[in-house]
Amino acid sequence: DAKTTQPPSMDCAEGRAANLPCNHSTISGNEYVYWYRQIHSQGPQYIIHGLKNNETNEMASLIITEDRKSSTLILPHATLRDTAVYYCIVRNLNRDDKIIFGKGTRLHILP
Amino acid sequence: DGGITQSPKYLFRKEGQNVTLSCEQNLNHDAMYWYRQDPGQGLRLIYYSQIVNDFQKGDIAEGYSVSREKKESFPLTVTSAQKNPTAFYLCASIPPLDRSRSSGNTIYFGEGSWLTVV
């Protein structure tokens, strides 16, 4: 079973910030939060990841709550090309790195 | 250039036949994974392997088999026991864990293989 829960779909107006939530209430101390997105039926594309601190890169920002039980991916200025399925996953980087994807959030960017 | 190569990209299978999907990587990655994706659905883990000659079942292993005889290769066989094999199949790998880094290891994906039963 997936270790994360996400809303099945979200809408966001073009040019606005898209905020995608993820619940990972059973996360353990050494598990990272990763975000990927998938456009059509291509291989998922890496967006960002973090452990405890908030992270930012050229694509997005990742906000992790202090208790680490949830996080939010922020796309600061959404464009039509950001329409995709976004996956939030948690990973325990030990020998048995069983990477489980959930169903993700289908993000629709509205013109 | 290094990467993950899946083949074939499109494959048609008659009912009752076994087929094998190839996944090769030249990234020197230890861990490799196979996922299945049905239309409009997320990725479901079939099998994964952390090291050569070792692999574990994922959430939907029934009707599938794998081998890991070489580090760079992780072929997936869809057997006749898989009752609904038509789907999109993705292979992935991750680099060796670097515990000295504060960041984690990202996941590398192949381009996927479409399998259709006719």
Side-chain angles (χ1 to χ4, degrees):
Chain A
D1 291 337
K3 299 179 182 179
T4 63
T5 55
Q6 300 175 252
S9 66
M10 292 183 63
D11 293 336
C12 178
E14 189 176 16
R16 305 295 294 269
N19 296 276
L20 291 87
C22 179
N23 182 293
H24 31 80
S25 57
T26 61
I27 194 170
S28 62
N30 57 353
E31 287 185 315
Y32 288 79
V33 179
Y34 278 75
W35 282 84
Y36 280 79
R37 72 180 182 185
Q38 188 179 27
I39 299 173
H40 299 300
S41 290
Q42 301 175 17
Q45 175 192 20
Y46 167 79
I47 301 174
I48 199 168
H49 72 275
L51 181 61
K52 297 179 181 179
N53 300 321
N54 298 338
E55 302 287 345
T56 297
N57 63 19
E58 64 278 6
M59 291 183 66
S61 295
L62 174 61
I63 308 299
I64 303 174
T65 58
E66 190 171 348
D67 63 9
R68 301 187 70 238
K69 293 185 177 181
S70 65
S71 60
T72 301
L73 177 73
I74 302 173
L75 306 177
H77 305 287
T79 71
L80 295 176
R81 288 178 294 180
D82 292 322
T83 294
V85 178
Y86 287 77
Y87 296 98
C88 167
I89 63 174
V90 295
R91 289 180 56 197
N92 189 340
L93 301 185
N94 59 21
R95 183 174 174 80
D96 186 21
D97 194 0
K98 184 179 180 182
I99 303 173
I100 301 294
F101 287 81
K103 296 183 178 180
T105 296
R106 187 170 296 275
L107 178 65
H108 300 278
I109 304 301
L110 307 175
Chain B
D1 290 341
I4 300 178
T5 302
Q6 289 187 237
S7 63
K9 189 168 180 63
Y10 300 96
L11 183 62
F12 295 89
R13 187 194 94 172
K14 293 183 179 180
E15 286 192 29
Q17 284 184 336
N18 292 354
V19 293
T20 297
L21 306 179
S22 170
C23 179
E24 303 278 332
Q25 52 96 2
N26 59 3
L27 300 166
N28 198 34
H29 289 176
D30 290 316
M32 299 185 73
Y33 301 78
W34 273 106
Y35 295 91
R36 167 181 173 144
Q37 187 169 37
D38 294 283
Q41 303 296 313
L43 303 175
R44 292 186 291 170
L45 182 63
I46 305 173
Y47 269 98
Y48 64 110
S49 169
Q50 301 289 299
I51 196 169
V52 174
N53 293 322
D54 188 39
F55 49 83
Q56 289 79 39
K57 293 182 178 179
D59 296 333
I60 56 165
E62 185 175 355
Y64 299 96
S65 66
V66 293
S67 63
R68 189 80 189 279
E69 298 177 0
K70 299 185 295 183
K71 188 176 187 177
E72 59 270 24
S73 179
F74 191 41
L76 174 74
T77 297
V78 185
T79 74
S80 58
Q82 172 51 239
K83 298 305 180 186
N84 186 22
T86 295
F88 181 61
Y89 291 86
L90 272 169
C91 180
S93 71
I94 59 174
L97 177 63
D98 183 354
R99 295 185 185 276
S100 65
R101 295 175 57 194
S102 60
S103 59
N105 294 33
T106 192
I107 308 168
Y108 294 75
F109 286 92
E111 291 300 310
S113 294
W114 287 94
L115 173 63
T116 302
V117 173
V118 297

